[in-house]
Amino acid sequence: MPCLGYCTREESGDEGEVERWLQSRCGGLPGWLSPAQVPSMLSCTHCSTPLVFLCQIYSPSENGFHRMIYVLSCWSCGKDVRAYRALAPQLNEWLPPRPQDDTGHIERLTLQLKTSCCRLCLLPATQETQATQETTATRRQPQAQGAPLHLRCQNYLAGYLDQSPVLPRSDIWIEEEVPQKCLITEEPETEKPDTKDPETEPDNHMDVLAKVETGVALEQNASPVSADSDDAALEDDAALEDDAALEDDGEHPVVGPVREMNKVPEINQDAVLDAYINYMESMPSHVIRYGAGCPLWFCSQDVCTAVPACEACGAPRRFEFQVQSSLLDSLNVLTNLELAFGILAVYTCSNDCDSQGLVSEFVHKQRDPTVDVKIQLREIDQ
C-alpha cells in the first residue's frame, strides 16, 4: 500500500540524537551514515554550483540495517538533480547498535564530517574551497580552524547573501495512504464566492494553469463569425476577451488568452494533470509518495519512458518514491523558478547493492508546464 510523507516542524519530543539524525526530513543537514560514504564533490554538472540538500528518506532493507536515500539539486540552474543511496550495518564505526546506546556518536560523526565537508551545509567541499576560506571574513559566525566552507556559504556568513544555503528543516512523517481519501468522484460543480483579493494574494501555479486552460478552451470553442453579423461578432469578441483575460497577479502585466496568446504558450486540457490535481486535493499537504509501484505523473508531458540499469551492479532499477512539488513550499523556495518541478521520480537498484559507499541512483525531474508560462511572463516584464 502506498505511503505518504508529511512535513512537520514540531520538535520530536523524547527522540534521541541518533533518531533525529536518521529521521526522514527535508532541508537542514544531510544525515550521512559514514564519512567514508560522502562523495568527493557534489557540484552541478551544468553550472558548477554546489548542490543543495532537498530531502532524505530513511528506509531500512534486508541488505542494510540503516538505509538512506538522499535527494539533492542545483538551485542556480535546476538542471542537475541527483539521488544517492547509502547502506550501513547495525554494527558500524559511527552509529550505535541501538539509539538508546548513543554516547555522543553523532557529535563525533559531525566533527569528522566537517574535516572534508562544508561546516555550514555539510556537503562536500573541494580543495579550492578549503584554500580560499581563510581569506573571507565572517560576521555571523566565528571562523572554525580547519573547517572548509563553500564560497556560497562564505558569502552568507559574511552577510552578502540573505538566503541561507541550508534550507529550512522539516521532519517527514510517513504514514499509510488512506484509500477512502483517494477516491475521486465526479460531483456537480457549485459556484463558490471568490474571497481572494487579487491585489494582495497572487495566483499560485494551479490558478495560473487553470486560467490559461480556460482561455484556450474558450478560444477554441468560440462560434465562427458570419459576414452578415460583423458588428455583433466584434461585440462578442470583446466580451469574450474581457471574460477570459488573465487577472493581474501583482507581478506580471495582464495578458489575455485572446488578446496576446502569442505571448503565452498554449496548455491544452490534460487528463493526467487533472487526475494529479484531484489526487493532491484529496490528500493535501503531503510531500512524499512512497511505495506505490509507479509514479503518479504530474502531467502527460515529459514522462519518463526509459530507466537506466544500476551502474554499480547492472540490475534494473525500480520506482521507489516521488517528491511532490509541495515540498518547495516547505523549503520556502517557491519563487525559485529554476528549482521548480512537477514531481521528482526516484528509481533505485532492485538488488539494493552495496558498494561500500554512496550509490548513485536515477531521478527523473518532470517539469511543471506552468513554470514555462511564468518564465515567459518574467521575460516579458524584463
Side-chain angles (χ1 to χ4, degrees):
M1 177 179 293
C3 296
L4 302 180
Y6 297 85
C7 285
T8 173
R9 287 192 173 89
E10 297 179 0
E11 293 298 329
S12 300
D14 297 332
E15 281 190 334
E17 206 172 13
V18 173
E19 291 179 328
R20 291 281 290 170
W21 186 257
L22 298 177
Q23 171 72 40
S24 296
R25 63 172 175 265
C26 65
L29 303 178
W32 304 116
L33 302 183
S34 166
Q37 294 180 336
V38 181
S40 59
M41 183 182 298
L42 282 177
S43 300
C44 177
T45 56
H46 298 271
C47 67
S48 300
T49 303
L51 304 181
V52 295
F53 170 68
L54 293 185
C55 66
Q56 67 182 35
I57 301 298
Y58 183 70
S59 55
S61 67
E62 295 180 357
N63 292 348
F65 184 82
H66 299 295
R67 180 176 181 269
M68 192 79 77
I69 301 174
Y70 310 91
V71 181
L72 305 98
S73 176
C74 175
W75 72 352
S76 295
C77 69
K79 296 179 180 180
D80 193 353
V81 183
R82 303 185 201 174
Y84 292 94
R85 175 174 51 86
L87 300 175
Q90 184 174 9
L91 299 176
N92 63 82
E93 181 181 359
W94 298 103
L95 298 173
R98 298 178 300 175
Q100 55 267 35
D101 296 335
D102 179 30
T103 55
H105 287 75
I106 300 302
E107 182 179 358
R108 292 195 296 271
L109 176 57
T110 53
L111 287 175
Q112 180 63 32
L113 287 170
K114 287 181 179 180
T115 62
S116 59
C117 295
C118 175
R119 65 182 174 90
L120 179 64
C121 65
L122 215 60
L123 294 176
T126 62
Q127 293 181 353
E128 180 182 2
T129 301
Q130 298 182 41
T132 59
Q133 60 151 336
E134 297 177 357
T135 64
T136 302
T138 58
R139 303 170 186 170
R140 300 182 181 177
Q141 187 173 333
Q143 185 74 13
Q145 187 68 24
L149 275 171
H150 290 133
L151 178 60
R152 178 182 59 197
C153 296
Q154 293 176 12
N155 291 335
Y156 171 72
L157 293 176
Y160 302 131
L161 293 179
D162 293 330
Q163 184 176 7
S164 172
V166 179
L167 301 177
R169 168 172 173 159
S170 296
D171 290 342
I172 298 178
W173 300 100
I174 297 179
E175 59 185 33
E176 287 189 357
E177 179 185 75
V178 180
Q180 287 78 5
K181 292 184 180 181
C182 300
L183 295 178
I184 302 175
T185 57
E186 296 184 359
E187 298 181 356
E189 296 183 358
T190 57
E191 294 186 1
K192 296 181 180 180
D194 187 5
T195 59
K196 183 175 68 175
D197 185 357
E199 297 183 358
T200 59
E201 296 186 38
D203 296 329
N204 58 33
H205 74 289
M206 292 304 183
D207 292 336
V208 174
L209 176 63
K211 290 174 181 176
V212 173
E213 288 182 339
T214 301
V216 173
L218 287 174
E219 184 184 24
Q220 292 175 345
N221 295 332
S223 301
V225 181
S226 63
D228 297 333
S229 56
D230 290 343
D231 295 338
L234 290 174
E235 294 177 1
D236 292 341
D237 287 344
L240 177 60
E241 179 179 348
D242 293 338
D243 293 339
L246 293 177
E247 296 179 3
D248 189 355
D249 61 3
E251 299 179 358
H252 306 297
V254 176
V255 180
V258 176
R259 233 176 343 183
E260 302 188 32
M261 281 302 294
N262 59 322
K263 294 185 179 181
V264 182
E266 294 186 3
I267 302 177
N268 297 324
Q269 294 290 344
D270 190 334
V272 177
L273 176 60
D274 292 340
Y276 181 86
I277 294 175
N278 290 337
Y279 179 84
M280 294 300 294
E281 289 177 348
S282 66
M283 304 293 289
S285 303
H286 77 276
V287 298
I288 299 291
R289 185 170 182 261
Y290 187 93
C294 61
L296 178 66
W297 296 112
F298 183 84
C299 63
S300 60
Q301 305 174 30
D302 193 23
V303 173
C304 180
T305 57
V307 178
C310 176
E311 291 84 359
C313 69
R317 286 191 173 99
R318 63 191 174 192
F319 172 75
E320 183 153 346
F321 66 91
Q322 71 185 65
V323 182
Q324 312 286 34
S325 56
S326 51
L327 180 77
L328 300 174
D329 188 19
S330 298
L331 296 175
N332 295 335
V333 290
L334 279 175
T335 57
N336 188 331
L337 297 182
E338 284 69 28
L339 184 60
F341 55 83
I343 69 166
L344 300 178
V346 180
Y347 298 80
T348 58
C349 175
S350 58
N351 283 344
D352 207 20
C353 62
D354 184 7
S355 62
Q356 304 302 317
L358 279 187
V359 179
S360 178
E361 298 292 8
F362 178 74
V363 182
H364 178 76
K365 177 180 179 179
Q366 186 182 31
R367 287 186 59 81
D368 178 351
T370 64
V371 171
D372 297 328
V373 176
K374 292 183 178 180
I375 291 177
Q376 288 205 10
L377 292 174
R378 183 180 64 184
E379 292 174 352
I380 293 173
D381 283 346
Q382 294 175 350

